[in-house]
Amino acid sequence: MSIDLEGLLRPVDNPAPAFPPKIITLANGEKMVIRQVTRDEIPFLLPHVKALLDVERDYYDIVAARVYAELLAYYRHRVQDEYVLIAQVDGELAAIVNGRSLSPRVGVSYHTLSLKRGARVGAHAFAAKMEYHIDILKHDEVLIVAESPIGFRRWMIEYKLEKRFDIAHELGGVPSYALTRELFERVRSSLIVGSRPVPEELLKKAMAGILPPKDPPKGPADLLAATRAMGDPTGTGLRAMRQKLEKLEGGK
Amino acid sequence: MRDVYVLGIGITSFSRLEYPIVEIAAYSSVVALKDAGLNRVDHVFVANMGAARVNHQTALASALVDHLNLMPCGAETIENGPASGASAIKTGWMAVASGLHDTVMVTGVERMREVNNLEATDFVASLTHPYAEQIYGVTLPAMAGMFARLYMETYGVTSRHLAMVAIKNHDNAMLNRFAHLHEKISMEGILDSNDAMTNNPFVADPLRFYDLCPVSDGGATLILGTAEMAKKIGKPLIRLAGVGQATDTHCVHERANPTDLLAVRGAAGKAMEMAGVKPGEISVAELHDAFTILEIAESEEVGFFKKGEGHIALEEGYTELGGKLPINTSGGLKAKGHPVGATGVGQAHEIVTQLRGDAGERQVKNASKGLTVNFGGFGNNVVSLVFVRE
């Protein structure tokens, strides 16, 4: 007698309407397309997320590690009712946002990962994710947490999220905040931007392939990092540089 | 008095720097020492506005001297609000010009990102009048918003002009590897498109998000010395030829005409007079554009343009790279960043870089005379410097 172990391990997704692609004009005038990706496209995202695992700045390392796991789980059917949206500028990957349906009435926001810094790329992608939960998946509320101070400012403060501290969020079990339908309506005109349909040419370009980010997030400013790399909390390395100078300059 | 020259310069990235404030100061100082080929100076001045409050650290100059093992040289910390940097340079200039010292190191430093933006804004607002302004919750963006509205109504400046300043300075910052914001912006993205209101929301009407400088960490250093020392070093001779300072009422509303920045006019006038330079002879300028409106207003007050015509010069491309008088080639406070205590030294760093001909893609052709305006308070204590290449 054989057991279908994979069948037991693999959750069955509930049917969910798709996110209709939208286009947003960024502060630099570039047009950013936000669209939903299928499971088949996940392998094209993974290398760009993996590259951020060592970026010890603004919590990129921990967010990238978690997003990587979430994408892999989605790809290999180890998470239920997850979705993934991406933002692209000229095909270039600008942001990844994801989440899942906890129930027909409650959504869970997972992560917002900006691969193109500035210009509210992450904020716009997060807003699209909230639009998906509230307007399309018809959730009454979305459970949200932030790992970074930037995220806290963008979500908890800008959206004036309600506390749901009695609910442990799936990300780390930390107390949740919630975006309710009412809160969403309050910010709809100010934070939820973009238009549909996406011009055919731009959508075609986005669908044609996920191009790597040209200027992905990097670690802290290299010059100071160099002194840190010397194991230099007290300035010993700086003094060593001085001594080297003294030798070079003949003690001038 | 003796002539005073720039022997060395150094700077860190203006950004979020997750290092102790003294280490930030030490980095730009070591770079400047290396640039000057020195390992000793007679005196150290450190410019800083907020370490006592933001970083819980005082006596930065003493800490820096110890960090770099520069003992037993003298050391002092200088605080003059956002004009601390140029004030410290002025003090260094006095020390060398008077004959008290032959070499001084002036390092400006600030680490503001240790606190969140709201706390940083609150800390900067502590420079306003405690009973007539601060008690009512005024912040610097709010003050600048009122100033901008009055300026717009009086002189016909529009939101479009303010956006032009921001776009120009963001473009310049793209060419400066030390700048805080490497982010190109466009008129469509921040003003004209349907999504512009979200990209660029009002912060203090009529000022929007992209009309304000970022909150930055950073350090910058200038080493000043005598002509004899400068000649030994073998770099282009850059003389700190003029220093000027002027003050105005603490409260902006007590000024006869709040759109007149008399301290800017006075400080720049004195600096140019000392240097024997006229406004029309300046090749490049770094003006204190913590808010876009200030670049326009200051460009008029220093005498580059007639009052009320700065925005017209801007429209004509006069102040952009490649224009007749490029302003804020570094990106300015607007895009290079504004670590308050370091800002004035950072401005001087850019002018010296330009006069040396080391500015790379943002180099102003044949730059020979440069001016800085470091704006303290809301224009109540301003220091201006003129550098001349010899």
Side-chain angles (χ1 to χ4, degrees):
Chain A
M1 190 178 78
S2 66
I3 299 173
D4 178 13
L5 193 55
E6 177 59 22
L8 291 172
L9 295 173
R10 178 181 292 206
V12 179
D13 283 344
N14 292 297
F19 175 84
K22 71 191 301 190
I23 185 165
I24 295 172
T25 303
L26 298 178
N28 59 11
E30 290 177 329
K31 308 293 180 190
M32 182 167 82
V33 174
I34 301 183
R35 67 180 181 90
Q36 189 164 7
V37 291
T38 61
R39 274 199 172 82
D40 293 345
E41 291 180 280
I42 297 298
F44 299 104
L45 299 178
L46 290 173
H48 308 309
V49 179
K50 197 173 187 180
L52 301 176
L53 292 176
D54 293 326
V55 176
E56 203 177 321
R57 179 183 204 174
D58 295 336
Y59 294 81
Y60 265 100
D61 47 1
I62 190 168
V63 171
R66 286 177 163 176
V67 169
Y68 193 89
E70 290 154 8
L71 293 179
L72 207 54
Y74 176 54
Y75 182 60
R76 290 164 65 174
H77 297 273
R78 287 299 181 270
V79 60
Q80 189 168 17
D81 294 329
E82 186 177 347
Y83 66 87
V84 180
L85 311 182
I86 63 169
Q88 290 170 279
V89 176
D90 285 333
E92 182 189 329
L93 184 61
I96 300 171
V97 290
N98 62 343
R100 77 180 198 93
S101 290
L102 186 65
S103 72
R105 301 188 61 176
V106 180
V108 178
S109 171
Y110 275 173
H111 283 100
T112 299
L113 181 65
S114 297
L115 293 100
K116 181 182 174 78
R117 301 267 292 176
R120 287 187 71 88
V121 165
H124 285 321
F126 177 85
K129 171 163 73 164
M130 293 304 115
E131 184 187 32
Y132 186 46
H133 277 287
I134 301 290
D135 282 353
I136 296 160
L137 297 175
K138 306 292 182 192
H139 289 143
D140 291 335
E141 66 178 36
V142 189
L143 299 174
I144 301 166
V145 288
E147 279 134 337
S148 72
I150 294 175
F152 190 87
R153 196 169 70 238
R154 287 280 192 234
W155 329 140
M156 282 64 185
I157 295 176
E158 285 193 9
Y159 287 77
K160 298 183 173 60
L161 298 184
E162 289 180 6
K163 290 174 182 170
R164 289 282 185 281
F165 283 7
D166 53 323
I167 302 174
H169 198 280
E170 290 183 16
L171 297 181
V174 297
S176 296
Y177 285 79
L179 177 77
T180 62
R181 182 172 293 279
E182 188 189 346
L183 289 176
F184 182 76
E185 291 304 333
R186 283 188 202 165
V187 299
R188 185 187 286 279
S189 62
S190 59
L191 297 179
I192 316 300
V193 296
S195 58
R196 296 186 174 93
V198 177
E200 198 177 330
E201 195 180 319
L202 287 174
L203 187 59
K204 213 170 153 184
K205 193 165 190 180
M207 301 295 287
I210 298 166
L211 303 177
K214 283 185 200 134
D215 186 19
K218 296 179 187 69
D222 54 342
L223 298 178
L224 280 162
T227 68
R228 275 293 193 202
M230 293 167 78
D232 189 24
T234 60
T236 312
L238 291 170
R239 285 201 274 273
M241 284 167 73
R242 277 202 52 242
Q243 283 163 7
K244 196 175 170 189
L245 267 172
E246 281 178 28
K247 275 186 189 168
L248 284 174
E249 302 299 326
K252 186 167 68 177
Chain B
M1 286 195 293
R2 301 189 295 182
D3 284 340
V4 179
Y5 289 81
V6 179
L7 308 182
I9 56 173
I11 199 162
T12 70
S13 294
F14 282 12
S15 178
R16 177 196 291 268
L17 299 174
E18 293 173 359
Y19 304 93
I21 187 166
V22 174
E23 200 167 315
I24 296 170
Y27 186 83
S28 63
S29 301
V30 167
V31 173
L33 284 166
K34 192 172 177 185
D35 184 50
L38 294 175
N39 55 47
R40 293 275 159 216
V41 290
D42 297 334
H43 202 96
V44 170
F45 293 104
V46 172
N48 173 262
M49 180 176 169
R53 177 165 169 169
V54 176
N55 316 109
H56 301 282
Q57 185 163 0
T58 58
L60 286 178
S62 314
L64 179 62
V65 162
D66 175 69
H67 205 73
L68 296 178
N69 198 19
L70 291 173
M71 292 83 75
C73 80
E76 270 140 359
T77 304
I78 290 175
E79 190 275 311
N80 186 24
S84 298
S87 265
I89 293 174
K90 188 200 78 175
T91 311
W93 176 88
M94 293 194 305
V96 176
S98 66
L100 183 65
H101 298 304
D102 287 339
T103 53
V104 301
M105 183 166 80
V106 182
T107 293
V109 67
E110 205 74 62
R111 190 182 168 205
M112 303 170 75
R113 301 294 295 240
E114 185 155 345
V115 295
N116 65 43
N117 283 7
L118 300 178
E119 287 178 66
T121 301
D122 186 52
F123 135 65
V124 177
S126 65
L127 60 77
T128 59
H129 194 292
Y131 309 124
E133 294 174 332
Q134 205 179 337
I135 197 171
Y136 299 107
V138 77
T139 61
L140 270 291
M143 194 81 87
M146 290 186 277
F147 179 84
R149 175 59 68 201
L150 190 56
Y151 221 90
M152 290 163 103
E153 289 186 4
T154 309
Y155 299 111
V157 174
T158 65
S159 293
R160 211 162 192 81
H161 293 112
L162 301 182
M164 287 168 72
V165 173
I167 292 166
K168 169 179 76 70
N169 292 351
H170 275 245
D171 282 349
N172 291 349
M174 294 291 286
L175 306 175
N176 181 358
R177 70 192 179 100
F178 299 111
H180 189 157
L181 303 177
H182 289 125
E183 183 186 339
K184 207 166 168 59
I185 53 175
S186 73
M187 197 63 85
E188 184 193 10
I190 65 170
L191 219 55
D192 292 345
S193 71
N194 290 336
D195 302 330
M197 187 57 95
T198 298
N199 291 335
N200 193 21
F202 283 111
V203 174
D205 187 4
L207 298 181
R208 295 164 180 251
F209 178 75
Y210 282 106
D211 289 313
L212 279 62
C213 66
V215 174
S216 315
D217 303 330
T221 299
L222 230 65
I223 297 178
L224 302 174
T226 61
E228 191 186 17
M229 298 286 296
K231 282 170 192 161
K232 269 190 201 167
I233 285 167
K235 290 187 187 291
L237 284 177
I238 311 296
R239 184 163 61 94
L240 177 47
V243 294
Q245 185 168 17
T247 52
D248 202 343
T249 62
H250 196 174
C251 295
V252 176
H253 64 259
E254 286 178 351
R255 297 174 194 169
N257 183 350
T259 61
D260 284 344
L261 297 172
L262 298 181
V264 173
R265 202 179 297 176
K270 286 178 196 172
M272 285 188 276
E273 187 183 349
M274 181 188 285
V277 169
K278 294 197 170 76
E281 295 176 75
I282 297 291
S283 331
V284 56
E286 288 285 302
L287 304 183
H288 193 111
D289 58 333
F291 308 101
T292 48
I293 184 65
L294 287 182
E295 180 179 303
I296 294 172
E298 289 170 25
S299 70
E300 298 163 3
E301 296 292 4
V302 301
F304 293 157
F305 314 112
K306 285 182 188 162
K307 190 77 183 167
E309 293 185 5
H311 64 292
I312 297 166
L314 180 74
E315 275 177 8
E316 292 170 351
Y318 207 94
T319 57
E320 64 189 30
L321 265 181
K324 286 183 183 167
L325 173 48
I327 292 177
N328 289 327
T329 53
S330 67
L333 285 64
K334 173 68 207 73
K336 178 188 179 189
H338 186 23
V340 283
T343 289
V345 188
Q347 291 177 313
H349 181 280
E350 173 66 9
I351 293 296
V352 174
T353 303
Q354 288 285 352
L355 299 189
R356 282 181 173 182
D358 290 341
E361 288 180 270
R362 64 180 195 284
Q363 179 64 49
V364 174
K365 270 189 187 170
N366 303 319
S368 61
K369 297 177 180 70
L371 173 129
T372 68
V373 169
N374 196 190
F375 187 86
F378 198 82
N380 62 15
N381 195 332
V382 177
V383 182
S384 180
L385 308 170
V386 173
F387 295 86
V388 173
R389 177 173 176 150
E390 294 187 339

